[in-house]
Amino acid sequence: MTDKIAVIDDDEVYQMIISRYIEKSGAFRLAEYYQFPKEALKYYSDNKENLPSVMLLDINMPLMDGWQFLEALQAQFPEIYDHTKIYIVTSSIAFSDKERFENFPKLAGFLSKPLNVEKLKEIGDNQK
C-alpha cells in the first residue's frame, strides 16, 4: 500500500467513480480530490510535506488546464518527480495532447479514461 493518491479532475461524476475504484483497489492509504487545479496548488504550497506519492491529472479543465498545472507545479516544486509519480488521465484522443506529453519526460504515464480497479492496483504496485 502506498501513502497517498491525489486526483485532480473537474468532472464530479468521474471523481465519484474513481474514488470508489481507488477504495476497491486497496492500493492507497489516503486519497484526496481536487476539482480545481489552483486549489491543489494552493494546498501543496501551504503543505509542502503533504505531496502525494501518486497524482492522477486530467488535462482538459477550465481556468487552468493540466499542462498549466504541471508547469506551475514544477516551478514551485522542482524535485516533484523525486517523490510523486504523475499520470495524465484523459478522455482526449487529440494527437497534440500525446505530443505535448513528450515535453514532460518525467511523467509516469499517459492513461485513457476511465481507469479501472486493476490499473489502480498496478499503479499502486509500481510505487513499492
Side-chain angles (χ1 to χ4, degrees):
M1 184 180 293
T2 62
D3 288 337
K4 180 169 47 172
I5 185 169
V7 176
I8 303 170
D9 195 304
D10 63 313
D11 184 336
E12 290 180 65
V13 173
Y14 179 74
Q15 280 199 15
M16 185 178 65
I17 293 167
I18 198 70
S19 71
R20 288 186 183 141
Y21 289 174
I22 288 169
E23 186 177 326
K24 282 184 179 182
S25 78
F28 305 96
R29 186 173 55 83
L30 297 169
E32 54 192 30
Y33 303 89
Y34 299 95
Q35 191 174 2
F36 304 103
K38 287 185 179 184
E39 176 186 318
L41 278 175
K42 170 87 171 97
Y43 175 78
Y44 296 133
S45 178
D46 294 344
N47 300 279
K48 292 175 177 50
E49 69 284 351
N50 285 328
L51 288 168
S53 51
V54 173
M55 187 179 291
L56 303 178
L57 176 63
D58 186 24
I59 51 176
N60 295 315
M61 295 181 282
L63 305 177
M64 174 184 259
D65 69 21
W67 304 119
Q68 293 166 321
F69 173 81
L70 274 176
E71 289 166 358
L73 189 67
Q74 289 175 155
Q76 209 169 10
F77 302 99
E79 290 87 29
I80 185 72
Y81 298 105
D82 292 344
H83 40 71
T84 302
K85 299 248 187 222
I86 302 174
Y87 294 85
I88 298 297
V89 182
T90 184
S91 56
S92 171
I93 58 169
F95 183 72
S96 60
D97 287 331
K98 289 186 180 180
E99 280 185 318
R100 196 149 182 204
F101 171 77
E102 300 300 323
N103 294 331
F104 296 89
K106 293 184 177 183
L107 288 173
F110 188 95
L111 306 172
S112 295
K113 285 182 182 177
L115 294 184
N116 57 38
V117 173
E118 291 77 27
K119 187 63 178 177
L120 289 163
K121 284 181 183 177
E122 179 184 320
I123 289 169
D125 287 345
N126 287 335
Q127 302 309 303
K128 297 176 183 174

